[in-house]
Amino acid sequence: MKSSNQSHNGISSPAKKKTSFASDVLTLVGGTTFAQIVTILASPVLTRLYTPDEFGTWALLISITTIIGIIACMRYEFSIMLPESDKEAINLLGLSLTIVCIITAISILPIYFFKNEIVVMLNSPQLADFLWMIPIIIFVNGFFQALNYWNSRTKHFKRLSFAQVSRSLSTTGTQIVSGFLRYPLSGGLIVGSVVGYTVSTLVLGGQIWKDDKYFIKANLHPQKFIQGLKRYKKFPLIDTWSALLNSISWQLPAFLLAFYFSPAVVGFYSIGFRILQLPMSFIGSSLNQVFFQRASVASSQGNLSSLVETVFKLLVVIGLFPILTLTFVGSDVFSVIFGSSWAEAGVYAQILSIWAFVWFISSPLSSIYVVLEKQQFGLKFNIFNFITRLLSLGIGGFIGNARVALALFALSGIFVYGYLCFKMLAYSEVKASYVRHVVLSNLLMFSPVGAILFILKLIGTNQYLIVGLSGLFIALYYLYIVRTDEEIYEFLKRFKFSKKILGQRR
């Protein structure tokens, strides 16, 4: 729907920016990159202000809110992207926000009646003081999810970029200040998250209301919510269960590691996985956000395969080299940056690294089955994913070895998410020969670096030297890529300051 279209009451639809896929991604990358830099800089400080037990308690609370929050809108937020009419979409936004209020109210009941049982099951007495914050986080995050998809529909990605920066600054700032003041029992980490969620939602919501309030007032009609409720009923009836299973399976490590071991082990896992995600998050989450919008359009225009090929190559080029590097030197990186007491978290990151890369590739592509309205596949996949994770972590817990539990978890994840990636590429009609070429060529590029790191580890080289060389190798790799790969170069050239960064190519 073009921005010049007028509604019957004379109120124009929200203006949609006419930008390329690359520029939309890079707009978000700017905010994401800054937010991740803040996280990176804050992490060594936080790991010295808070203990593994405190990180574990924080991770458990976030895991609970993540599971409930994934169904805060009953998945109707995805439907906001699909109608041609902005008037229909704004009523789907209203429907989503209404459902958030209902889910938030319902979430209060189990927390009130089963507070003690939750604490005992998760083996975390400290958690009892913070369970009341769960409905607040669900409410705020639910609103953010719905507003985020309306924002993506109108392609104002700078709004989201600004909201991401606001969240990162407010979260880490509150956590650091609370850590120095020693807010008791991991409260600083948790309160910081609540502050960050609230600030980002207010920032995004405020910008949307400022720009679109007249359109919203003119076209938001609660009686039309029922039409959207019926038209997109597949989302709550099928995709909700699929998403819920997927969310539970993601949070299983935190819950089962707490149940079988201790919050400290959860703390090692949470910080290890958090840092493991950082190389991926610089562009992965931003690309995911834009890809869903562009895939919706590309599917209707019949050029989905071309879009998916470009995105797949970009993900492999960005993610494979640094993740393989971390596989070799993870424990060294964590010992140097976070202190020797966090070396175990580095080992966990090494164990999970290959699985994290496969997940990184499949995560943006997984929206293809939503675009093609194949929610049944998503449900089947998430059932299988949940079962394999439960079994792998359960076996490791029964054995009594956290490393074994995570190794089995990672191994099952490689196969499960590898299958997901294969199916999404098949749905998009991307040739297998293209996929093999992209993956093998990038593996070949890493092989000499992997050999050097292996030898350095074998002869017992100083940790600081190993970490420094690893960072240098990654920097040189990205420099080489942007100067030699035409597609990646053209992609990055869309930054207005690209020439300053990339220089003149020969």
Side-chain angles (χ1 to χ4, degrees):
M1 185 174 183
K2 296 180 181 180
S3 58
S4 59
N5 287 356
Q6 302 287 319
S7 64
H8 70 279
N9 53 17
I11 303 296
S12 61
S13 297
K16 296 185 176 69
K17 292 190 174 182
K18 296 181 179 179
T19 53
S20 69
F21 177 78
S23 63
D24 286 342
V25 172
L26 292 176
T27 296
L28 282 180
V29 167
T32 302
T33 300
F34 184 85
Q36 294 299 336
I37 289 173
V38 171
T39 301
I40 291 171
L41 295 177
S43 294
V45 179
L46 293 175
T47 53
R48 288 168 171 81
L49 291 174
Y50 298 96
T51 67
D53 277 315
E54 290 174 316
F55 269 94
T57 302
W58 176 39
L60 288 171
L61 185 80
I62 296 302
S63 294
I64 295 171
T65 57
T66 299
I67 289 174
I68 303 174
I70 203 71
I71 59 169
C73 302
M74 295 302 288
R75 309 299 279 177
Y76 275 107
E77 70 271 25
F78 285 97
S79 68
I80 296 170
M81 301 285 290
L82 301 182
E84 292 186 11
S85 166
D86 286 328
K87 291 188 290 184
E88 183 180 352
I90 198 63
N91 283 286
L92 290 169
L93 172 61
L95 171 63
S96 299
L97 296 178
T98 301
I99 293 174
V100 170
C101 296
I102 296 172
I103 296 297
T104 300
I106 294 174
S107 70
I108 296 173
L109 299 177
I111 294 169
Y112 180 79
F113 288 106
F114 301 105
K115 175 181 177 179
N116 293 331
E117 287 78 3
I118 293 172
V119 170
V120 171
M121 182 176 64
L122 295 178
N123 192 26
S124 180
Q126 302 96 323
L127 192 61
D129 295 328
F130 305 102
L131 288 177
W132 64 271
M133 293 184 178
I134 290 176
I136 298 174
I137 297 176
I138 292 169
F139 178 79
V140 174
N141 262 354
F143 263 65
F144 186 88
Q145 289 174 31
L147 295 172
N148 184 22
Y149 278 95
W150 172 257
N151 187 69
S152 294
R153 178 184 177 87
T154 57
K155 299 175 65 176
H156 285 83
F157 294 106
K158 286 185 179 179
R159 293 172 180 166
L160 181 58
S161 183
F162 187 58
Q164 289 172 331
V165 172
S166 301
R167 174 181 294 187
S168 180
L169 289 174
S170 55
T171 298
T172 54
T174 303
Q175 290 173 337
I176 290 173
V177 171
S178 298
F180 279 114
L181 296 176
R182 289 313 300 158
Y183 193 100
L185 301 176
S186 71
L189 292 170
I190 295 171
V191 171
S193 292
V194 175
V195 171
Y197 293 144
T198 303
V199 168
S200 61
T201 301
L202 291 174
V203 166
L204 183 60
Q207 292 179 92
I208 290 174
W209 181 251
K210 177 183 176 182
D211 294 340
D212 302 337
K213 61 182 176 182
Y214 295 113
F215 178 80
I216 294 172
K217 289 179 179 179
N219 295 286
L220 190 66
H221 304 292
Q223 63 269 25
K224 293 185 178 180
F225 293 1
I226 304 300
Q227 297 176 10
L229 197 72
K230 295 178 180 178
R231 166 65 181 87
Y232 297 100
K233 62 183 179 181
K234 278 188 177 182
F235 286 103
L237 294 179
I238 299 177
D239 197 52
T240 290
W241 300 106
S242 174
L244 187 60
L245 278 173
N246 181 53
S247 181
I248 293 173
S249 66
W250 271 105
Q251 307 312 320
L252 271 178
F255 294 143
L256 292 182
L257 290 175
F259 178 78
Y260 284 113
F261 304 103
S262 68
V265 173
V266 179
F268 287 133
Y269 165 78
S270 66
I271 197 67
F273 185 65
R274 183 187 185 194
I275 301 304
L276 187 63
Q277 285 182 302
L278 286 178
M280 308 302 179
S281 297
F282 275 114
I283 194 170
S285 60
S286 302
L287 193 149
N288 194 1
Q289 184 73 31
V290 180
F291 177 75
F292 180 62
Q293 187 272 333
R294 292 305 173 100
S296 300
V297 176
S299 177
S300 62
Q301 294 177 346
N303 58 353
L304 183 60
S305 61
S306 177
L307 174 66
V308 172
E309 284 181 358
T310 300
V311 170
F312 177 80
K313 179 181 179 181
L314 182 65
L315 290 168
V316 173
V317 169
I318 290 171
L320 187 58
F321 194 98
I323 209 69
L324 288 176
T325 302
L326 189 63
T327 304
F328 280 86
V329 300
S331 60
D332 300 291
V333 170
F334 277 70
S335 295
V336 169
I337 297 178
F338 305 119
S340 57
S341 61
W342 289 91
E344 184 69 8
V347 175
Y348 289 2
Q350 288 178 280
I351 293 171
L352 297 169
S353 58
I354 303 300
W355 159 75
F357 170 72
V358 179
W359 157 74
F360 172 66
I361 296 293
S362 62
S363 180
L365 301 182
S366 64
S367 60
I368 291 172
Y369 79 77
V370 178
V371 170
L372 300 178
E373 297 194 51
K374 294 182 180 291
Q375 284 88 348
Q376 292 87 345
F377 170 82
L379 178 59
K380 292 176 183 178
F381 167 80
N382 285 309
I383 290 174
F384 182 60
N385 189 30
F386 174 78
I387 292 173
T388 56
R389 287 185 174 186
L390 183 63
L391 288 174
S392 60
L393 291 167
I395 292 171
F398 180 77
I399 293 173
N401 190 312
R403 291 186 180 184
V404 172
L406 290 175
L408 293 173
F409 170 80
L411 186 62
S412 66
I414 291 171
F415 285 105
V416 171
Y417 279 90
Y419 172 73
L420 173 63
C421 189
F422 169 79
K423 289 295 291 185
M424 295 303 99
L425 292 169
Y427 283 150
S428 306
E429 300 181 349
V430 174
K431 293 181 180 179
S433 58
Y434 176 82
V435 174
R436 285 196 300 270
H437 170 72
V438 171
V439 174
L440 291 176
S441 61
N442 281 272
L443 282 173
L444 185 62
M445 191 176 299
F446 174 79
S447 57
V449 172
I452 293 171
L453 293 176
F454 177 76
I455 293 171
L456 291 176
K457 292 279 290 182
L458 192 64
I459 63 177
T461 305
N462 180 273
Q463 286 184 324
Y464 288 89
L465 179 59
I466 291 177
V467 173
L469 285 174
S470 298
L472 178 62
F473 287 144
I474 292 173
L476 291 174
Y477 163 75
Y478 283 129
L479 182 63
Y480 172 78
I481 287 298
V482 298
R483 287 181 172 271
T484 58
D485 191 297
E486 191 68 31
E487 286 185 79
I488 302 299
Y489 177 77
E490 290 298 324
F491 187 91
L492 294 176
K493 240 177 70 172
R494 297 181 184 276
F495 272 125
K496 63 182 179 181
F497 50 87
S498 60
K499 289 184 179 179
K500 297 180 182 179
I501 296 177
L502 305 177
Q504 297 296 326
R505 293 180 64 188
R506 296 178 180 178

